[in-house]
Amino acid sequence: MFNQMIVLSLLAGSTLSVPPAGTPETPSNPEMTAIFDADQKARQDPAIDWAIVGPQDEARLKRTQTLLDAGALKSGDDFFNAAFVFQHGGSPDDYLKAHLLATIAVAKGKVGATWIAAATLDRYLQNTGKPQILGTQFRTEADGRTSQEPFNRAFASDALRGALGVPPLAAQEEQRKSLERAAQLPLADGSKSPLRRLTPAPPARMFTAKLQPTRCEPIPGSEKLLSRPSLRWIVIGEIHGTTETPKTFGDLACLASATRPVVVAVEQQSTEQPAIDAFIGSNGDAEATSRFLESKLWTEPFKDGRSSEAYFDLFQHLRALRAAGHITSVVAFQPVYNPGPAGFKAGDYENALATSLMSRVPPDGRVLVLAGNNQAMRTSPAWAKPPYRPMAGYLPANRTVSLDARGNGGSYWACMSATRCGPQSAPLPAVKVARGIVMDNGGGPYEGILNLGVAVTASRPKEQYAPAQR
C-alpha cells in the first residue's frame, strides 16, 4: 500500500497544479541553480576523484536542505535541481526526498521532471529491499550480466510508464540486452571489455507521424550507401565547430529517411534529453526556442563547437523532419561518465560512449550518428599510446559504415583552453574535392569520406534569447 501511495502521488503531481498558459514564471533561486550546476559539472569531469566529490556532494545536499527549510525554493526548476542533488545522496531517505522534490517540480509545471521522479522512486524501493516498479534501474554484475531485479513488472502498466516518460517493458528488455552485450564485448586481444558505470539518464522520446514528401539536398554517392538493406549504423565523424558538417549531416538524415523514418543520435549530454525532446516535439516558435536555449547544451561556459549556431540549426532541421514523419527520435548519447579511482582512460570513455549509444537507441531501424571524428573511427588512432578501441569500433562491423567529414580547409570554432576560444585553422587537403560520399577500402580508420565540397567556416556559439524576447 505504501508503494502504491507513492506512485499515486507522483501521477497526481504530473497533472495537477500546472500553471495555466500566460502565468508569469516564478524566478529560480540562483544559489540552487549554482548548486545544481556544480553537482553536474563534478560528474562530467573525466578525472573525477570521489574522495573530493563525495564530501562536496554532502555539502551540497546540506545546503539544499537549508534552502528548503527556509522556503527559498519556489520554481519548478528549483525543485528539479534539488531532486538531482538528493538523488546523489547516500541513503534511502535521500532518494525518497528526491522523489518528493521531483514530484513537486512536476506539479509546478516542470514536465521534464517526470522521469527523475520515476527513477528516484525505483531507486528508493530497491535500496529499502523492495522491488522497483517502473524499470528505470539497471545493474551490471562482474561477469557482465545486466539485471533490473528485483522488479515487480506487474505493478504498473506500460501506459503508466509512458505517462512518466519511462519506456515500456519490451523496450526496457532490449535496453537490458544492449547493456549486457556492451559489457561483454571482446576486445582486440580476445578479452572482455571492462564494465562501464553509467549514471542513468532520461530515455529519448519516440515520435510518430505520417511520412510526408520532403525536399532534400542531394549528396552524390549517398544513393549507393543508403541502398544497403542491412546497414543499421551510419556514423559521421566531425571536427566540432563548423557550419558545414551539421548542415550536411541534416541533408544526409533527410535523404536516409526518404522512404522510412530513421533515428538520429547526437553527441550531446544525455541528461539534457528532456530539453531536446521538448524542442523536437514543438512547433519551433519563439517560446519553444527560448526554453531550449536555457538548456545546459547552450549555457555551459566551455564551448567545444557542439553549442554552435550551426548545431542549433541542425536541431531546427531535425525538428522539421520529425514533423514530416522522417525522424522517430533524436537521442543524446554522451553519458555522465564516472571513471572511478583509476582515473580517466580514453579507451574506457569510448566504451562508455558506445554503451550509452547502443543502450539508448531503439532496437530496430536505421540510426544516423553525429560524433567527433575520433569517436567515429573503427580502429585505434595511429597516435594513441596505448592503442584503444574508439566508440564506432564497438558497433557491429557488418551493419556499420563510418565516414569522416572533411572540408577543403577553412576554419572551425573551438576552445583551446578555458579562456582561449575562437576560430582555428582546419586541415587543408592536398587536392580540393567536390561534395559527395567516397568509400575507401584502404584499411584506414573509416570506411569512407563525407566530402563537404567547400572550405569550412567557424560557427560561433549560439546566443541565448534575452528575457524580454520570451
Side-chain angles (χ1 to χ4, degrees), residues 344-357:
F344 177 77
K345 295 181 180 178
D348 290 352
Y349 181 63
E350 296 294 319
N351 183 291
L353 279 170
T355 300
S356 178
L357 174 62

Side-chain angles (χ1 to χ4, degrees), residues 48-70:
I48 188 170
D49 184 344
W50 288 106
I52 296 175
V53 173
Q56 291 175 344
D57 278 349
E58 185 177 353
R60 283 189 285 265
L61 189 147
K62 288 181 178 179
R63 182 56 188 164
T64 300
Q65 183 62 59
T66 299
L67 293 175
L68 285 167
D69 292 342

Side-chain angles (χ1 to χ4, degrees), residues 140-146 183-184 192 195:
T140 301
E141 305 294 349
D143 60 2
R145 289 181 298 175
T146 300
Q184 297 176 345
K192 295 295 180 66
L195 301 180

Side-chain angles (χ1 to χ4, degrees), residues 98-118:
H99 167 72
L100 174 63
L101 295 169
T103 305
I104 295 172
V106 174
K108 287 182 172 288
K110 184 71 173 179
V111 178
T114 54
W115 183 86
I116 189 64

Side-chain angles (χ1 to χ4, degrees), residues 52-411:
I52 296 175
V53 173
Q56 291 175 344
D57 278 349
E58 185 177 353
R60 283 189 285 265
L61 189 147
K62 288 181 178 179
R63 182 56 188 164
T64 300
Q65 183 62 59
T66 299
L67 293 175
L68 285 167
D69 292 342
L73 306 188
K74 305 290 186 182
S75 71
D77 283 338
D78 285 342
F79 286 96
F80 176 80
N81 294 343
F84 269 89
V85 172
F86 273 89
Q87 183 201 208
H88 294 146
S91 72
D93 281 352
D94 292 333
Y95 308 143
L96 182 57
K97 184 166 290 187
H99 167 72
L100 174 63
L101 295 169
T103 305
I104 295 172
V106 174
K108 287 182 172 288
K110 184 71 173 179
V111 178
T114 54
W115 183 86
I116 189 64
T120 49
L121 172 59
D122 276 346
R123 183 174 294 188
Y124 168 77
L125 291 172
Q126 284 196 335
N127 279 270
T128 54
K130 303 177 180 67
Q132 65 173 320
I133 58 174
L134 296 168
T136 61
Q137 305 297 297
F138 295 81
R139 182 181 68 257
T140 301
E141 305 294 349
D143 60 2
R145 289 181 298 175
T146 300
S147 171
Q148 293 172 278
E149 304 305 326
F151 182 10
N152 182 356
R153 291 167 175 78
F155 187 94
S157 67
D158 279 348
L160 291 182
R161 291 185 178 89
L164 298 170
V166 177
L169 290 176
Q172 290 181 22
E173 176 60 15
E174 290 299 327
Q175 182 180 2
R176 187 198 66 77
K177 291 178 180 178
S178 295
L179 288 168
E180 192 165 84
R181 286 193 298 268
Q184 297 176 345
L185 282 172
L187 297 174
D189 61 3
S191 62
K192 295 295 180 66
S193 60
L195 301 180
R196 300 294 129 245
R197 296 188 295 158
L198 302 183
T199 300
R205 179 179 171 186
M206 296 296 294
F207 298 94
T208 57
K210 183 179 179 180
L211 190 67
Q212 303 173 24
T214 301
R215 182 182 179 278
C216 306
E217 293 292 332
I219 301 177
S222 62
E223 303 91 339
K224 185 176 181 180
L225 174 67
L226 298 174
S227 66
R228 300 185 189 181
S230 62
L231 182 60
R232 169 161 163 78
W233 303 91
I234 301 175
V235 184
I236 306 300
E238 68 159 347
I239 297 178
H240 299 311
T242 73
T243 298
E244 290 72 21
T245 304
K247 168 65 170 63
T248 306
F249 178 83
D251 294 340
L252 185 60
C254 183
L255 294 165
S257 60
T259 58
R260 57 175 179 170
V262 299
V263 171
V264 170
V266 291
E267 190 188 355
Q268 297 281 2
Q269 300 174 40
S270 58
T271 53
E272 297 305 295
Q273 187 68 58
I276 293 174
D277 289 343
F279 183 71
I280 295 297
S282 75
N283 61 5
D285 63 10
E287 178 68 15
T289 298
S290 181
R291 288 187 179 278
F292 189 37
L293 292 176
E294 293 173 354
S295 163
K296 290 172 66 67
L297 300 179
W298 315 105
T299 61
E300 288 280 23
F302 191 82
K303 309 292 186 182
D304 69 352
R306 289 175 293 165
S307 57
S308 67
E309 293 175 345
Y311 221 118
F312 176 79
D313 291 343
L314 172 62
F315 278 117
Q316 282 279 32
H317 192 179
L318 298 178
R319 184 198 58 76
L321 290 174
R322 186 279 310 163
H326 287 251
I327 288 177
T328 56
S329 189
V330 177
V331 181
F333 66 88
Q334 182 185 10
V336 177
Y337 170 59
N338 300 330
F344 177 77
K345 295 181 180 178
D348 290 352
Y349 181 63
E350 296 294 319
N351 183 291
L353 279 170
T355 300
S356 178
L357 174 62
M358 290 187 285
S359 65
R360 289 179 57 74
V361 301
D364 301 308
R366 184 164 284 176
V367 184
L368 273 72
V369 184
L370 181 59
N373 48 12
N374 287 340
Q375 284 70 48
M377 292 181 179
R378 300 280 291 161
T379 57
S380 181
W383 46 260
K385 306 294 181 186
Y388 63 85
R389 180 188 293 195
M391 179 199 76
Y394 288 95
L395 303 177
N398 62 343
R399 304 194 68 192
T400 302
V401 163
S402 180
L403 305 175
D404 186 27
R406 299 179 187 175
N408 295 326
S411 62

